[in-house]
Coordinates of all heavy atoms in Angstrom, one line a residue:
M183 N -149.7 234.2 14.0 CA -149.8 232.7 14.3 C -150.2 232.5 15.8 O -151.0 231.7 16.1 CB -148.6 232.0 13.9 CG -148.4 231.8 12.4 SD -146.7 231.4 11.9 CE -146.5 229.9 12.7
K184 N -149.5 233.2 16.7 CA -149.7 233.1 18.1 C -151.1 233.4 18.5 O -151.6 232.9 19.5 CB -148.7 233.9 18.9 CG -147.3 233.2 19.0 CD -146.3 234.1 19.7 CE -145.0 233.5 19.6 NZ -143.9 234.5 19.8
T185 N -151.8 234.3 17.8 CA -153.1 234.7 18.1 C -154.2 234.0 17.3 O -155.4 234.4 17.3 CB -153.3 236.2 18.0 OG1 -153.0 236.6 16.6 CG2 -152.4 237.0 18.9
G186 N -153.8 233.0 16.6 CA -154.7 232.2 15.8 C -155.2 232.8 14.5 O -156.2 232.4 13.9
K187 N -154.4 233.9 14.1 CA -154.8 234.5 12.8 C -153.9 234.2 11.7 O -153.8 235.0 10.7 CB -154.9 236.1 13.1 CG -156.1 236.5 13.9 CD -156.1 237.9 14.1 CE -157.3 238.3 15.0 NZ -157.2 239.7 15.5
G188 N -153.1 233.2 11.8 CA -152.1 232.8 10.9 C -152.6 232.7 9.4 O -152.1 233.4 8.5
Q189 N -153.7 231.9 9.2 CA -154.2 231.7 7.9 C -154.7 233.0 7.3 O -154.6 233.2 6.1 CB -155.3 230.6 7.9 CG -154.8 229.2 8.2 CD -153.9 228.7 7.2 OE1 -154.0 229.0 6.0 NE2 -152.9 227.9 7.6
E190 N -155.3 233.8 8.2 CA -156.0 235.1 7.7 C -154.9 236.0 7.1 O -155.2 236.6 6.1 CB -156.6 235.7 9.0 CG -157.8 236.5 8.7 CD -158.3 237.0 10.1 OE1 -158.9 236.2 10.8 OE2 -158.1 238.2 10.3
V191 N -153.8 236.2 7.8 CA -152.8 237.1 7.3 C -151.8 236.5 6.3 O -151.1 237.2 5.6 CB -152.1 237.8 8.5 CG1 -153.0 238.7 9.3 CG2 -151.3 236.8 9.3
L192 N -151.8 235.2 6.2 CA -150.8 234.6 5.4 C -150.9 235.0 3.9 O -149.9 235.2 3.3 CB -150.9 233.0 5.5 CG -149.7 232.3 4.9 CD1 -148.4 232.7 5.4 CD2 -150.0 230.8 5.0
G193 N -152.1 235.0 3.4 CA -152.3 235.4 2.0 C -151.7 236.8 1.7 O -151.1 237.0 0.7
E194 N -152.0 237.7 2.6 CA -151.5 239.1 2.5 C -149.9 239.1 2.5 O -149.3 239.7 1.7 CB -152.0 239.9 3.6 CG -152.2 241.4 3.3 CD -152.8 242.1 4.5 OE1 -153.9 241.7 4.9 OE2 -152.2 243.0 4.9
V195 N -149.4 238.3 3.5 CA -148.0 238.3 3.7 C -147.3 237.7 2.4 O -146.3 238.2 1.9 CB -147.6 237.4 4.9 CG1 -146.1 237.1 5.0 CG2 -148.0 238.2 6.2
L196 N -147.9 236.6 1.9 CA -147.3 235.9 0.7 C -147.4 236.8 -0.5 O -146.4 236.9 -1.3 CB -148.1 234.6 0.4 CG -147.8 233.5 1.4 CD1 -148.7 232.3 1.1 CD2 -146.3 233.0 1.3
N197 N -148.5 237.6 -0.7 CA -148.6 238.5 -1.8 C -147.5 239.6 -1.7 O -146.8 239.9 -2.7 CB -149.9 239.3 -1.7 CG -150.9 238.7 -2.6 OD1 -150.6 238.0 -3.5 ND2 -152.2 238.9 -2.2
E198 N -147.3 240.2 -0.5 CA -146.3 241.2 -0.3 C -144.9 240.6 -0.5 O -144.0 241.3 -1.1 CB -146.4 241.8 1.1 CG -147.5 242.8 1.2 CD -147.8 243.4 2.6 OE1 -146.8 243.4 3.3 OE2 -148.9 243.7 2.9
L199 N -144.7 239.4 0.0 CA -143.4 238.8 -0.1 C -143.0 238.5 -1.5 O -141.9 238.8 -2.0 CB -143.4 237.5 0.7 CG -142.0 236.8 0.7 CD1 -141.0 237.6 1.6 CD2 -142.1 235.4 1.3
A200 N -144.0 238.0 -2.3 CA -143.8 237.8 -3.7 C -143.4 239.0 -4.4 O -142.4 239.1 -5.2 CB -145.0 237.1 -4.4
A201 N -144.1 240.1 -4.2 CA -143.8 241.4 -4.9 C -142.4 241.9 -4.4 O -141.6 242.4 -5.2 CB -144.9 242.4 -4.6
Y202 N -142.2 241.9 -3.1 CA -140.9 242.4 -2.6 C -139.7 241.6 -3.1 O -138.7 242.2 -3.4 CB -141.0 242.4 -1.0 CG -139.7 242.9 -0.5 CD1 -139.3 244.2 -0.5 CD2 -138.8 242.0 0.1 CE1 -138.1 244.7 0.0 CE2 -137.5 242.4 0.6 CZ -137.2 243.7 0.6 OH -136.0 244.1 1.0
T203 N -139.9 240.3 -3.1 CA -138.8 239.4 -3.5 C -138.4 239.8 -4.9 O -137.2 239.9 -5.2 CB -139.3 237.9 -3.5 OG1 -139.7 237.6 -2.2 CG2 -138.2 237.0 -4.0
I204 N -139.3 239.9 -5.8 CA -139.0 240.3 -7.2 C -138.3 241.6 -7.3 O -137.3 241.7 -8.0 CB -140.3 240.2 -8.1 CG1 -140.8 238.8 -8.2 CG2 -140.1 240.8 -9.4 CD1 -142.2 238.6 -8.7
T205 N -138.8 242.6 -6.6 CA -138.1 243.9 -6.7 C -136.7 243.9 -6.1 O -135.8 244.3 -6.7 CB -138.9 244.9 -5.9 OG1 -140.3 244.8 -6.3 CG2 -138.4 246.4 -6.0
H206 N -136.6 243.3 -4.9 CA -135.3 243.2 -4.2 C -134.3 242.4 -5.0 O -133.2 242.9 -5.2 CB -135.6 242.5 -2.8 CG -134.3 242.4 -2.0 ND1 -133.8 243.4 -1.2 CD2 -133.4 241.4 -1.9 CE1 -132.7 243.0 -0.6 NE2 -132.4 241.8 -1.1
F207 N -134.7 241.3 -5.5 CA -133.7 240.5 -6.3 C -133.3 241.2 -7.6 O -132.1 241.1 -7.9 CB -134.3 239.1 -6.6 CG -134.4 238.2 -5.4 CD1 -135.0 237.0 -5.5 CD2 -133.8 238.5 -4.2 CE1 -135.1 236.1 -4.4 CE2 -133.8 237.6 -3.1 CZ -134.5 236.4 -3.2
S208 N -134.2 241.8 -8.2 CA -133.8 242.4 -9.5 C -132.9 243.6 -9.2 O -132.0 243.9 -10.0 CB -135.0 242.8 -10.4 OG -135.8 243.8 -9.7
N209 N -133.1 244.3 -8.1 CA -132.2 245.4 -7.8 C -130.8 244.9 -7.5 O -129.8 245.4 -8.0 CB -132.7 246.2 -6.5 CG -133.9 247.1 -6.9 OD1 -134.1 247.5 -8.0 ND2 -134.7 247.4 -5.9
E210 N -130.7 243.8 -6.7 CA -129.5 243.2 -6.4 C -128.8 242.7 -7.6 O -127.6 243.0 -7.8 CB -129.7 242.0 -5.5 CG -129.4 242.2 -4.0 CD -129.5 241.0 -3.2 OE1 -129.2 239.9 -3.7 OE2 -130.0 241.1 -2.1
E211 N -129.5 242.1 -8.5 CA -128.9 241.5 -9.7 C -128.4 242.6 -10.6 O -127.4 242.4 -11.3 CB -130.0 240.6 -10.4 CG -130.1 239.3 -9.7 CD -131.4 238.5 -10.1 OE1 -131.9 238.8 -11.2 OE2 -131.8 237.6 -9.3
R212 N -129.2 243.7 -10.7 CA -128.7 244.8 -11.5 C -127.4 245.3 -11.1 O -126.5 245.6 -11.9 CB -129.8 245.9 -11.5 CG -129.6 247.0 -12.5 CD -130.8 247.9 -12.7 NE -131.6 248.1 -11.5 CZ -131.2 248.9 -10.4 NH1 -130.1 249.6 -10.5 NH2 -132.0 248.9 -9.4
L213 N -127.3 245.5 -9.7 CA -126.0 246.0 -9.2 C -124.8 245.1 -9.4 O -123.8 245.5 -9.8 CB -126.2 246.2 -7.7 CG -126.7 247.5 -7.2 CD1 -126.9 247.5 -5.7 CD2 -125.8 248.7 -7.5
M214 N -125.1 243.8 -9.2 CA -124.0 242.8 -9.4 C -123.6 242.7 -10.9 O -122.4 242.6 -11.2 CB -124.5 241.4 -8.9 CG -124.6 241.3 -7.4 SD -124.9 239.6 -6.9 CE -126.7 239.5 -7.1
A215 N -124.6 242.8 -11.8 CA -124.3 242.8 -13.2 C -123.5 244.0 -13.6 O -122.5 243.9 -14.4 CB -125.6 242.6 -14.0
T216 N -124.0 245.2 -13.1 CA -123.4 246.4 -13.5 C -121.9 246.5 -13.2 O -121.0 246.9 -13.9 CB -124.1 247.6 -12.8 OG1 -125.5 247.6 -13.1 CG2 -123.5 249.0 -13.2
F217 N -121.6 245.9 -12.0 CA -120.2 246.0 -11.5 C -119.4 244.7 -11.8 O -118.3 244.6 -11.3 CB -120.1 246.4 -10.0 CG -120.6 247.8 -9.8 CD1 -121.9 248.1 -9.4 CD2 -119.8 248.9 -10.0 CE1 -122.4 249.4 -9.3 CE2 -120.2 250.2 -9.9 CZ -121.5 250.5 -9.5
G218 N -120.0 243.8 -12.5 CA -119.3 242.6 -12.8 C -118.9 241.7 -11.7 O -117.8 241.1 -11.6
F219 N -119.8 241.5 -10.7 CA -119.5 240.6 -9.6 C -119.3 239.2 -10.1 O -120.2 238.6 -10.8 CB -120.7 240.7 -8.6 CG -120.6 239.7 -7.5 CD1 -119.5 239.8 -6.6 CD2 -121.5 238.7 -7.2 CE1 -119.4 238.9 -5.5 CE2 -121.4 237.9 -6.2 CZ -120.3 238.0 -5.3
P220 N -118.2 238.6 -9.7 CA -117.9 237.2 -10.3 C -118.9 236.1 -9.9 O -119.0 235.2 -10.6 CB -116.5 236.9 -9.7 CG -116.0 238.2 -9.1 CD -117.1 239.1 -8.9
G221 N -119.5 236.3 -8.7 CA -120.5 235.3 -8.3 C -121.9 235.5 -8.7 O -122.8 234.9 -8.2
Y222 N -122.0 236.3 -9.7 CA -123.4 236.8 -10.2 C -124.3 235.6 -10.6 O -125.4 235.5 -10.1 CB -123.2 237.7 -11.4 CG -124.5 238.1 -12.0 CD1 -125.4 239.0 -11.5 CD2 -124.8 237.6 -13.3 CE1 -126.6 239.3 -12.1 CE2 -126.0 237.9 -13.9 CZ -126.9 238.7 -13.3 OH -128.1 239.1 -13.9
A223 N -123.8 234.7 -11.5 CA -124.6 233.6 -12.0 C -125.1 232.7 -10.9 O -126.3 232.4 -10.9 CB -123.8 232.8 -13.0
L224 N -124.3 232.4 -10.0 CA -124.7 231.5 -8.9 C -125.7 232.2 -7.9 O -126.7 231.6 -7.5 CB -123.4 231.1 -8.0 CG -123.4 229.7 -7.6 CD1 -123.0 228.8 -8.7 CD2 -122.4 229.5 -6.4
H225 N -125.4 233.4 -7.7 CA -126.3 234.2 -6.8 C -127.7 234.3 -7.5 O -128.7 234.1 -6.8 CB -125.7 235.6 -6.6 CG -126.3 236.3 -5.4 ND1 -125.5 236.8 -4.4 CD2 -127.6 236.6 -5.1 CE1 -126.3 237.4 -3.5 NE2 -127.6 237.3 -3.9
K226 N -127.7 234.6 -8.8 CA -129.0 234.7 -9.5 C -129.8 233.4 -9.5 O -131.0 233.4 -9.3 CB -128.7 235.1 -10.9 CG -129.9 235.6 -11.7 CD -129.4 236.1 -13.1 CE -130.5 236.8 -13.8 NZ -131.6 236.0 -14.3
K227 N -129.0 232.3 -9.5 CA -129.7 231.0 -9.5 C -130.4 230.8 -8.2 O -131.5 230.3 -8.1 CB -128.6 229.9 -9.7 CG -129.1 228.8 -10.5 CD -128.0 227.8 -10.9 CE -128.5 226.9 -11.9 NZ -127.5 225.9 -12.3
E228 N -129.7 231.2 -7.1 CA -130.3 231.1 -5.8 C -131.6 232.0 -5.7 O -132.6 231.5 -5.1 CB -129.3 231.5 -4.7 CG -129.4 230.7 -3.4 CD -128.3 231.0 -2.4 OE1 -127.2 230.4 -2.6 OE2 -128.6 231.7 -1.5
H229 N -131.5 233.2 -6.2 CA -132.7 234.0 -6.3 C -133.8 233.4 -7.0 O -135.0 233.4 -6.6 CB -132.4 235.4 -7.0 CG -131.6 236.3 -6.1 ND1 -131.1 237.5 -6.7 CD2 -131.2 236.3 -4.8 CE1 -130.5 238.2 -5.7 NE2 -130.5 237.4 -4.6
E230 N -133.5 232.8 -8.2 CA -134.6 232.2 -9.0 C -135.2 231.0 -8.3 O -136.5 230.9 -8.4 CB -133.9 231.7 -10.3 CG -133.8 232.9 -11.3 CD -132.8 232.5 -12.5 OE1 -132.3 231.4 -12.6 OE2 -132.6 233.5 -13.3
G231 N -134.4 230.2 -7.6 CA -135.0 229.1 -6.8 C -136.0 229.6 -5.8 O -137.1 229.0 -5.6
F232 N -135.6 230.6 -5.1 CA -136.4 231.1 -4.0 C -137.7 231.8 -4.6 O -138.8 231.6 -4.1 CB -135.7 232.2 -3.2 CG -136.4 232.6 -2.0 CD1 -136.7 231.8 -0.9 CD2 -136.9 234.0 -1.9 CE1 -137.5 232.2 0.2 CE2 -137.6 234.4 -0.8 CZ -137.9 233.5 0.2
T233 N -137.5 232.5 -5.7 CA -138.7 233.2 -6.3 C -139.7 232.1 -6.7 O -140.9 232.3 -6.5 CB -138.2 234.0 -7.5 OG1 -137.2 234.9 -7.1 CG2 -139.4 234.8 -8.2
Q234 N -139.2 231.1 -7.4 CA -140.1 230.0 -7.8 C -140.9 229.5 -6.6 O -142.1 229.2 -6.7 CB -139.4 228.8 -8.4 CG -138.7 229.1 -9.7 CD -139.7 229.6 -10.8 OE1 -140.8 229.1 -10.9 NE2 -139.4 230.7 -11.4
K235 N -140.2 229.3 -5.5 CA -140.9 228.7 -4.3 C -141.9 229.6 -3.7 O -143.0 229.2 -3.3 CB -139.8 228.4 -3.3 CG -139.7 226.9 -3.0 CD -138.6 226.5 -2.1 CE -138.9 225.0 -1.9 NZ -137.7 224.4 -1.3
V236 N -141.6 230.9 -3.7 CA -142.5 231.9 -3.1 C -143.7 232.0 -4.0 O -144.9 232.1 -3.5 CB -141.8 233.3 -2.9 CG1 -142.8 234.4 -2.6 CG2 -140.8 233.2 -1.8
L237 N -143.5 232.0 -5.3 CA -144.7 232.2 -6.2 C -145.5 230.9 -6.2 O -146.8 231.0 -6.2 CB -144.2 232.4 -7.7 CG -143.5 233.7 -8.0 CD1 -143.0 233.8 -9.4 CD2 -144.3 234.9 -7.6
K238 N -144.9 229.8 -6.0 CA -145.7 228.5 -5.8 C -146.5 228.5 -4.5 O -147.7 228.1 -4.5 CB -144.7 227.3 -5.9 CG -145.5 226.1 -6.3 CD -144.5 224.9 -6.5 CE -145.4 223.7 -6.8 NZ -144.6 222.5 -6.8
L239 N -145.9 228.9 -3.5 CA -146.6 229.0 -2.2 C -147.8 230.0 -2.3 O -148.9 229.6 -1.9 CB -145.6 229.6 -1.1 CG -144.6 228.7 -0.5 CD1 -143.8 229.5 0.5 CD2 -145.2 227.5 0.2
N240 N -147.6 231.1 -3.0 CA -148.6 232.1 -3.2 C -149.8 231.5 -4.0 O -150.9 231.6 -3.7 CB -148.0 233.3 -3.8 CG -148.8 234.6 -3.6 OD1 -149.7 234.5 -2.7 ND2 -148.5 235.6 -4.2
D241 N -149.4 230.8 -5.1 CA -150.4 230.2 -6.0 C -151.2 229.1 -5.2 O -152.4 229.1 -5.3 CB -149.7 229.5 -7.2 CG -149.4 230.5 -8.3 OD1 -149.8 231.6 -8.2 OD2 -148.8 230.0 -9.3
N242 N -150.5 228.3 -4.6 CA -151.1 227.2 -3.8 C -152.1 227.7 -2.8 O -153.2 227.2 -2.6 CB -150.1 226.3 -3.1 CG -149.4 225.4 -4.0 OD1 -149.8 225.2 -5.2 ND2 -148.3 224.8 -3.6
F243 N -151.7 228.8 -2.1 CA -152.5 229.4 -1.1 C -153.8 230.0 -1.7 O -154.9 229.8 -1.2 CB -151.8 230.5 -0.4 CG -152.5 231.0 0.8 CD1 -152.4 230.3 2.0 CD2 -153.3 232.1 0.7 CE1 -153.1 230.8 3.1 CE2 -154.0 232.6 1.9 CZ -153.9 231.9 3.1
K244 N -153.6 230.6 -2.9 CA -154.8 231.2 -3.6 C -155.7 230.1 -4.1 O -156.9 230.4 -4.2 CB -154.3 232.1 -4.7 CG -153.8 233.4 -4.2 CD -153.6 234.4 -5.4 CE -153.0 235.7 -4.9 NZ -151.8 235.9 -5.7
C245 N -155.2 229.0 -4.5 CA -156.0 227.9 -5.0 C -156.7 227.2 -3.8 O -157.5 226.2 -4.1 CB -155.2 226.9 -5.7 SG -154.5 227.5 -7.2
G246 N -156.4 227.6 -2.6 CA -157.1 227.0 -1.5 C -156.5 225.6 -1.0 O -157.0 224.9 -0.3
K247 N -155.3 225.4 -1.6 CA -154.6 224.1 -1.2 C -154.1 224.3 0.3 O -153.7 225.3 0.7 CB -153.4 223.9 -2.1 CG -153.8 223.3 -3.4 CD -152.6 222.8 -4.2 CE -153.0 222.5 -5.6 NZ -151.9 222.7 -6.5
Y248 N -154.2 223.2 1.0 CA -153.8 223.2 2.4 C -152.4 223.5 2.6 O -151.5 222.8 2.0 CB -154.2 221.9 3.1 CG -153.9 221.9 4.5 CD1 -154.5 222.8 5.4 CD2 -153.0 221.0 5.1 CE1 -154.3 222.7 6.8 CE2 -152.7 221.0 6.4 CZ -153.3 221.9 7.2 OH -153.0 221.9 8.6
L249 N -152.1 224.5 3.4 CA -150.7 224.8 3.7 C -150.5 224.9 5.2 O -151.4 225.5 5.8 CB -150.3 226.1 3.0 CG -150.0 226.1 1.5 CD1 -149.8 227.5 1.0 CD2 -148.9 225.2 1.1
I250 N -149.4 224.4 5.7 CA -149.2 224.5 7.1 C -148.4 225.8 7.3 O -147.2 225.9 6.9 CB -148.5 223.3 7.6 CG1 -149.3 222.1 7.3 CG2 -148.2 223.4 9.1 CD1 -148.5 220.8 7.4
T251 N -149.0 226.7 8.0 CA -148.4 228.0 8.3 C -147.0 227.9 8.9 O -146.1 228.6 8.5 CB -149.3 228.9 9.2 OG1 -150.6 228.8 8.5 CG2 -148.8 230.3 9.3
V252 N -146.9 227.1 9.9 CA -145.6 227.0 10.6 C -144.5 226.5 9.7 O -143.4 227.0 9.7 CB -145.7 226.0 11.8 CG1 -144.4 225.8 12.5 CG2 -146.7 226.5 12.8
E253 N -144.8 225.6 8.8 CA -143.8 225.1 7.9 C -143.4 226.2 6.9 O -142.2 226.3 6.6 CB -144.4 223.9 7.0 CG -144.1 222.6 7.7 CD -144.7 221.4 6.9 OE1 -144.9 221.6 5.7 OE2 -144.9 220.4 7.5
I254 N -144.3 226.9 6.4 CA -144.0 228.0 5.5 C -143.1 229.0 6.2 O -142.1 229.4 5.7 CB -145.3 228.7 5.0 CG1 -146.1 227.8 4.1 CG2 -144.9 230.0 4.2 CD1 -147.4 228.3 3.7
M255 N -143.5 229.4 7.4 CA -142.7 230.4 8.1 C -141.3 229.9 8.4 O -140.4 230.7 8.3 CB -143.4 230.8 9.4 CG -144.8 231.5 9.2 SD -144.9 232.7 7.8 CE -144.0 234.1 8.4
Q256 N -141.2 228.6 8.7 CA -139.9 228.1 9.0 C -139.0 228.1 7.7 O -137.8 228.4 7.8 CB -140.0 226.7 9.5 CG -140.0 226.6 11.0 CD -140.3 225.3 11.6 OE1 -140.6 224.3 10.9 NE2 -140.4 225.2 12.9
F257 N -139.7 227.7 6.6 CA -138.9 227.7 5.3 C -138.4 229.1 5.0 O -137.3 229.3 4.7 CB -139.8 227.1 4.2 CG -139.4 227.6 2.8 CD1 -138.2 227.1 2.2 CD2 -140.1 228.6 2.2 CE1 -137.8 227.6 1.0 CE2 -139.6 229.1 0.9 CZ -138.5 228.6 0.3
L258 N -139.3 230.1 5.1 CA -138.9 231.4 4.7 C -137.8 232.0 5.7 O -136.9 232.6 5.2 CB -140.2 232.4 4.8 CG -141.3 232.1 3.9 CD1 -142.5 233.0 4.2 CD2 -140.8 232.3 2.4
R259 N -138.0 231.7 6.9 CA -137.0 232.2 7.9 C -135.7 231.5 7.6 O -134.7 232.3 7.6 CB -137.5 231.8 9.3 CG -136.7 232.3 10.4 CD -137.4 232.0 11.8 NE -136.4 232.3 12.8 CZ -135.5 231.4 13.3 NH1 -135.5 230.2 12.7 NH2 -134.7 231.7 14.2
E260 N -135.6 230.2 7.4 CA -134.4 229.6 7.2 C -133.7 230.0 5.9 O -132.5 230.3 5.9 CB -134.5 228.1 7.2 CG -134.3 227.4 8.5 CD -134.9 226.1 8.7 OE1 -134.8 225.3 7.7 OE2 -135.4 225.8 9.7
W261 N -134.6 230.2 4.9 CA -134.0 230.6 3.6 C -133.4 232.0 3.7 O -132.3 232.3 3.2 CB -135.0 230.5 2.5 CG -134.3 230.6 1.1 CD1 -133.8 229.6 0.4 CD2 -134.0 231.9 0.5 NE1 -133.2 230.2 -0.7 CE2 -133.3 231.5 -0.7 CE3 -134.2 233.2 0.8 CZ2 -132.9 232.5 -1.6 CZ3 -133.8 234.2 -0.1 CH2 -133.1 233.8 -1.3
L262 N -134.2 232.9 4.2 CA -133.8 234.3 4.3 C -132.5 234.4 5.1 O -131.6 235.2 4.8 CB -134.9 235.2 4.9 CG -136.0 235.4 3.9 CD1 -137.2 236.1 4.5 CD2 -135.5 236.3 2.7
I263 N -132.4 233.7 6.2 CA -131.2 233.8 7.1 C -130.0 233.2 6.3 O -129.0 233.9 6.3 CB -131.5 233.0 8.4 CG1 -132.4 233.8 9.3 CG2 -130.1 232.8 9.1 CD1 -132.9 233.1 10.5
T264 N -130.2 232.1 5.7 CA -129.1 231.5 4.9 C -128.7 232.5 3.8 O -127.5 232.7 3.6 CB -129.6 230.2 4.2 OG1 -130.1 229.3 5.3 CG2 -128.4 229.5 3.5
H265 N -129.7 233.0 3.1 CA -129.3 233.9 1.9 C -128.7 235.2 2.4 O -127.7 235.6 1.9 CB -130.5 234.1 1.0 CG -130.2 234.8 -0.2 ND1 -129.6 234.1 -1.3 CD2 -130.2 236.1 -0.6 CE1 -129.4 235.0 -2.3 NE2 -129.7 236.2 -1.9
I266 N -129.4 235.9 3.3 CA -128.9 237.2 3.7 C -127.6 237.2 4.5 O -126.7 238.0 4.2 CB -130.0 238.0 4.5 CG1 -131.3 238.2 3.6 CG2 -129.5 239.3 5.0 CD1 -132.5 238.6 4.3
R267 N -127.5 236.2 5.3 CA -126.3 236.1 6.2 C -125.2 235.4 5.4 O -124.0 235.5 5.8 CB -126.6 235.4 7.5 CG -127.4 236.2 8.4 CD -127.3 235.8 9.8 NE -128.2 236.4 10.7 CZ -128.8 235.9 11.8 NH1 -128.5 234.6 12.0 NH2 -129.6 236.5 12.5
G268 N -125.5 234.7 4.4 CA -124.5 233.9 3.7 C -124.2 234.5 2.3 O -123.3 235.3 2.1
T269 N -125.1 234.2 1.4 CA -124.9 234.6 0.0 C -124.8 236.1 -0.2 O -123.9 236.5 -0.9 CB -126.1 234.0 -0.9 OG1 -126.3 232.6 -0.5 CG2 -125.8 234.1 -2.4
D270 N -125.7 236.8 0.4 CA -125.7 238.3 0.2 C -124.4 238.9 0.7 O -123.9 239.9 0.2 CB -126.9 239.0 0.9 CG -128.1 238.9 0.0 OD1 -128.0 238.4 -1.2 OD2 -129.2 239.4 0.4
Q271 N -123.8 238.3 1.8 CA -122.6 238.9 2.4 C -121.4 238.8 1.4 O -120.4 239.5 1.6 CB -122.3 238.2 3.7 CG -123.3 238.4 4.8 CD -123.7 239.9 4.9 OE1 -122.8 240.8 5.0 NE2 -125.0 240.2 4.9
K272 N -121.5 237.9 0.5 CA -120.4 237.7 -0.4 C -120.2 238.8 -1.4 O -119.1 239.1 -1.9 CB -120.5 236.4 -1.2 CG -120.3 235.2 -0.3 CD -120.6 233.9 -1.1 CE -120.6 232.7 -0.1 NZ -121.3 231.5 -0.7
Y273 N -121.3 239.5 -1.8 CA -121.2 240.5 -2.8 C -121.0 241.9 -2.1 O -120.5 242.8 -2.7 CB -122.3 240.6 -3.8 CG -123.6 241.1 -3.2 CD1 -123.8 242.5 -2.9 CD2 -124.7 240.3 -3.0 CE1 -124.9 243.0 -2.4 CE2 -125.9 240.8 -2.5 CZ -126.0 242.1 -2.2 OH -127.2 242.6 -1.7
A274 N -121.3 242.0 -0.8 CA -121.2 243.3 -0.1 C -119.8 243.9 -0.2 O -119.7 245.0 -0.7 CB -121.7 243.1 1.3
P275 N -118.8 243.2 0.2 CA -117.4 243.8 0.2 C -117.0 244.1 -1.3 O -116.3 245.2 -1.5 CB -116.5 242.7 0.7 CG -117.3 241.6 1.1 CD -118.7 241.8 0.8
F276 N -117.5 243.3 -2.2 CA -117.1 243.6 -3.6 C -117.7 244.9 -4.1 O -117.0 245.7 -4.7 CB -117.6 242.4 -4.5 CG -117.4 242.6 -6.0 CD1 -116.2 242.4 -6.6 CD2 -118.4 243.1 -6.8 CE1 -116.0 242.6 -7.9 CE2 -118.3 243.4 -8.1 CZ -117.0 243.1 -8.7
L277 N -119.0 245.1 -3.8 CA -119.7 246.3 -4.2 C -119.1 247.5 -3.5 O -119.0 248.6 -4.1 CB -121.2 246.2 -4.1 CG -121.9 245.3 -5.0 CD1 -123.4 245.3 -4.7 CD2 -121.7 245.6 -6.5
I278 N -118.8 247.4 -2.2 CA -118.2 248.5 -1.5 C -116.9 248.9 -2.1 O -116.6 250.1 -2.3 CB -118.1 248.1 0.0 CG1 -119.5 248.0 0.7 CG2 -117.2 249.1 0.8 CD1 -119.5 247.3 2.0
S279 N -116.1 247.9 -2.5 CA -114.8 248.2 -3.1 C -115.0 248.9 -4.4 O -114.1 249.6 -4.9 CB -114.0 246.9 -3.3 OG -114.5 246.2 -4.5
K280 N -116.2 248.8 -5.0 CA -116.5 249.5 -6.3 C -117.1 250.9 -6.1 O -117.5 251.6 -7.0 CB -117.4 248.7 -7.2 CG -116.9 247.3 -7.6 CD -115.8 247.5 -8.6 CE -115.2 246.1 -8.9 NZ -114.0 246.2 -9.8
G281 N -117.2 251.2 -4.8 CA -117.7 252.6 -4.4 C -119.2 252.6 -4.3 O -119.8 253.7 -4.2
V282 N -119.9 251.5 -4.3 CA -121.4 251.5 -4.0 C -121.6 251.6 -2.6 O -121.0 250.9 -1.7 CB -122.0 250.2 -4.6 CG1 -123.5 250.1 -4.3 CG2 -121.7 250.0 -6.1
S283 N -122.5 252.5 -2.2 CA -122.9 252.6 -0.8 C -124.3 252.3 -0.5 O -125.1 252.3 -1.4 CB -122.6 254.1 -0.3 OG -123.3 255.0 -1.1
Ligands
LIG234 FE1 -130.7 240.4 -0.7
LIG235 FE1 -129.4 238.0 -2.8

C-alpha cells in the first residue's frame, strides 16, 4: 500500500487469505472437537463469520467492485488480533492440558 501497489497485490492476498483461513480454521476446529473443548460451538461461529467475510471480500474484488484497501486491511488486522489474542487463547490451555503440543 505504501508503494502504491495495494490494488495490484490485494487480489493475490485475498486469494491466499481465503485458502489459508479455511485450512487453519478446519484444523483448529478438528482439534477442539476431538478433545471436546467446551467453547467449540461459539469459536466455530466466530470462524464462520470471518470466513463469510473473507469470501465476500474476495468475490467482490474479483467482480471488480470498488474496495478500499485501507479499510480491508484494517478490518483484517482488527479481526485477526481480536481472534488470535482473544478467542484462540481460550482453547490453548485446554488443549495443552490434554497433551496437545
Ligand atoms: Fe487460529
Ligand atoms: Fe480460532
